[in-house]
């Protein structure tokens, strides 16, 4: 907040305006919540059901050495993790997205040795998960999902140049057009004007390095067009559209972040204070940014404030934060609780964000 006051000298004559800027401090209580099952679970998916509940599902269960089919939902009433309908097939590195009408989509996901071919998606109709026999079929775990303005869902970034469109009303997939470059672990976001942006990522599979390339998808012709490159190469970044139509992209490139302005097709770079800090390209592959109800954006370790184009730190917890961990997942629950998951399940009740 900025305040302007008028200062008057001791003699009563002469005055000057003095501007004072006050930065609100993010406050909150940090609580560590145990995982929903015993054993070392990793590479799981995180999402939110249409009713706002947090779910955690799939992943690699080291206790059984298999891809898990288990899904758990967090009961905000105090009962903790509750078993939810299981996936039709076990998967690791999967993505969940609520698609309206009480449904949820799970896409991507590596199914384990000997089970890597074929489609990857499942649909939850409110009672059970059903395996879909069409749609994205590459086994790469880097695929992203995003909702489009018309309610459809786009999938892209699975180490190929393909993009896909999911139609919730028919529970079916169709091709969304070829991206000029193969994309792996890219940042994908739907825009409020109906278009979609994909930024960064690699052209190969594991071991690839990120680049600066960005592309816009236009629904009128279902085609991708290259736009201005980012200022930093990124692998595993996250993107979120701001309320004013700009796009925040962070992660996958050290302590850097940037803002894309679609109207002018240019990027504004920032070289410190990123919401997703890392130690090198891909250091936060798969991490998430989440837009809060007040328009601010939470990352694994900082809050971005669009009104002032700056970031403030999240509260620390015994020295274990901020997270600089691959794959940190964030979710904002209706009760005003910010969750982050990986490597442990942690809840942060925050105010002033």
């Amino acid at each position: 907040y900025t305040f302007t006051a008028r200062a008057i000298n001791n003699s009563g004559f002469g005055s000057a305006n003095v501007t004072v800027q006050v930065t609100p401090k993010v406050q909150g209580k940090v609580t560590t919540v145990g995982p929903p099952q015993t054993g070392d679970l990793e590479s799981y998916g995180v999402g939110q059901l249409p009713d706002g509940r947090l779910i955690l599902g799939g992943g690699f269960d080291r206790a059984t050495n298999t891809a898990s089919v288990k899904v758990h939902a967090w009961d905000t009433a105090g009962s903790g993790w509750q078993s939810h309908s299981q996936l039709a097939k076990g998967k690791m590195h999967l993505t969940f997205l609520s698609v309206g009408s009480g449904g949820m989509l799970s896409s991507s996901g590596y199914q384990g040795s000997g089970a890597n071919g074929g489609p990857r998606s499942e649909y939850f109709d409110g009672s059970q998960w059903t395996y879909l026999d069409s749609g994205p079929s590459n086994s790469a775990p880097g695929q992203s999902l995003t909702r489009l303005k018309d309610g459809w869902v786009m999938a892209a970034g699975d180490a190929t140049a393909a993009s896909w469109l999911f139609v919730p009303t028919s529970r079916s997939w169709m091709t969304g057009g070829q991206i000029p470059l193969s994309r792996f672990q890219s940042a994908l976001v739907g825009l409020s004007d109906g278009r979609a942006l994909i930024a960064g990522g690699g052209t190969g599979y594991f071991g690839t390095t990120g680049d600066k390339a960005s592309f816009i998808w236009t629904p009128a012709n279902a085609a991708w067009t290259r736009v201005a490159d980012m200022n930093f190469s990124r692998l595993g970044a996250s993107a979120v559209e701001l309320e004013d139509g700009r796009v925040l992209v962070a992660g996958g490139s050290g302590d850097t972040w940037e803002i894309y302005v679609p109207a002018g097709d240019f990027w504004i770079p920032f070289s410190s204070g990123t919401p997703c800090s890392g130690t090198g390209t891909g250091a936060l592959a798969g991490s998430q940014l989440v837009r809060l109800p007040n328009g601010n954006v939470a990352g694994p370790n900082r809050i971005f404030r669009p009104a002032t184009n700056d970031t403030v730190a999240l509260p620390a917890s015994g020295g274990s934060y901020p997270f600089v961990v691959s794959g940190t997942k964030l979710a904002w629950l209706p009760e005003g609780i910010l969750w982050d998951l990986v490597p442990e399940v942690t809840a942060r009740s925050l105010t002033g964000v």
Side-chain angles (χ1 to χ4, degrees), residues 77 141 183-184 248 295:
R183 298 287 76 193
F184 177 63
L248 170 66

Side-chain angles (χ1 to χ4, degrees), residues 280-303:
T281 300
L284 275 167
S287 296
Q288 280 181 312
L289 297 170
V290 58
R291 195 170 82 183
L292 306 178
N294 62 2
N296 292 344
V297 177
N301 51 346
R302 296 184 74 84
I303 297 287

Side-chain angles (χ1 to χ4, degrees), residues 226-264:
R226 188 157 186 169
V227 293
D229 284 359
M230 293 186 293
N231 294 276
F232 306 98
S233 297
R234 300 185 183 279
L235 181 70
S238 181
V240 62
E241 186 183 37
L242 308 176
E243 290 183 337
D244 61 10
R246 297 179 299 161
V247 179
L248 170 66
V249 177
S253 188
D255 193 20
T256 68
W257 50 290
E258 44 200 308
I259 295 176
Y260 180 62
V261 183

Side-chain angles (χ1 to χ4, degrees), residues 91-323:
K91 298 183 186 67
M92 300 174 279
H93 303 285
L94 68 166
T95 305
F96 291 110
L97 184 69
S98 176
V99 295
S101 302
M104 174 163 273
L105 182 67
S106 167
S107 189
S108 191
Y110 175 73
Q111 294 175 197
S113 178
N116 302 331
R120 287 285 169 275
S121 59
E122 298 188 26
Y123 182 81
F124 179 68
D125 62 5
S127 61
Q128 67 178 11
W129 290 94
T130 301
Y131 198 70
L132 303 177
D133 59 4
S134 64
S137 59
N138 193 278
S139 62
Q143 186 183 84
S144 298
L145 299 176
T146 188
R147 278 185 296 270
L148 301 177
K149 182 180 180 180
D150 59 8
W152 290 15
V153 175
M154 172 165 283
D158 62 355
T160 73
S163 66
W164 295 81
L165 297 171
F166 180 75
V167 185
T169 53
S170 61
R171 303 179 189 179
S172 61
W173 289 94
M174 64 177 64
T175 58
Q178 291 290 108
I179 307 170
L181 290 176
S182 303
R183 298 287 76 193
F184 177 63
Q185 292 189 342
S186 300
L188 175 68
V189 61
L191 306 180
S192 55
D193 62 8
R195 298 183 298 168
L197 169 72
I198 191 167
T203 57
Y205 193 45
F206 287 117
T208 189
T209 57
D211 58 35
K212 303 176 182 179
S214 301
F215 304 89
I216 287 280
W217 178 81
T218 305
N221 55 2
W224 292 91
T225 303
R226 188 157 186 169
V227 293
D229 284 359
M230 293 186 293
N231 294 276
F232 306 98
S233 297
R234 300 185 183 279
L235 181 70
S238 181
V240 62
E241 186 183 37
L242 308 176
E243 290 183 337
D244 61 10
R246 297 179 299 161
V247 179
L248 170 66
V249 177
S253 188
D255 193 20
T256 68
W257 50 290
E258 44 200 308
I259 295 176
Y260 180 62
V261 183
D265 187 27
F266 63 90
W267 293 86
I268 304 172
F270 299 85
S271 57
S272 64
T274 177
C276 296
S277 69
T279 56
T281 300
L284 275 167
S287 296
Q288 280 181 312
L289 297 170
V290 58
R291 195 170 82 183
L292 306 178
N294 62 2
N296 292 344
V297 177
N301 51 346
R302 296 184 74 84
I303 297 287
F304 168 71
R305 301 179 300 182
T308 50
N309 278 349
D310 63 1
T311 62
V312 291
L314 287 168
S317 172
S320 62
Y321 289 92
F323 268 153

Side-chain angles (χ1 to χ4, degrees), residues 34-42 60-64 68 70 72:
Q37 66 179 61
T38 58
D40 186 3
L41 187 66
E42 62 182 40
F60 180 71
D61 188 349
R62 291 193 177 275
T64 60
S68 178
K70 294 180 180 179
H72 291 80

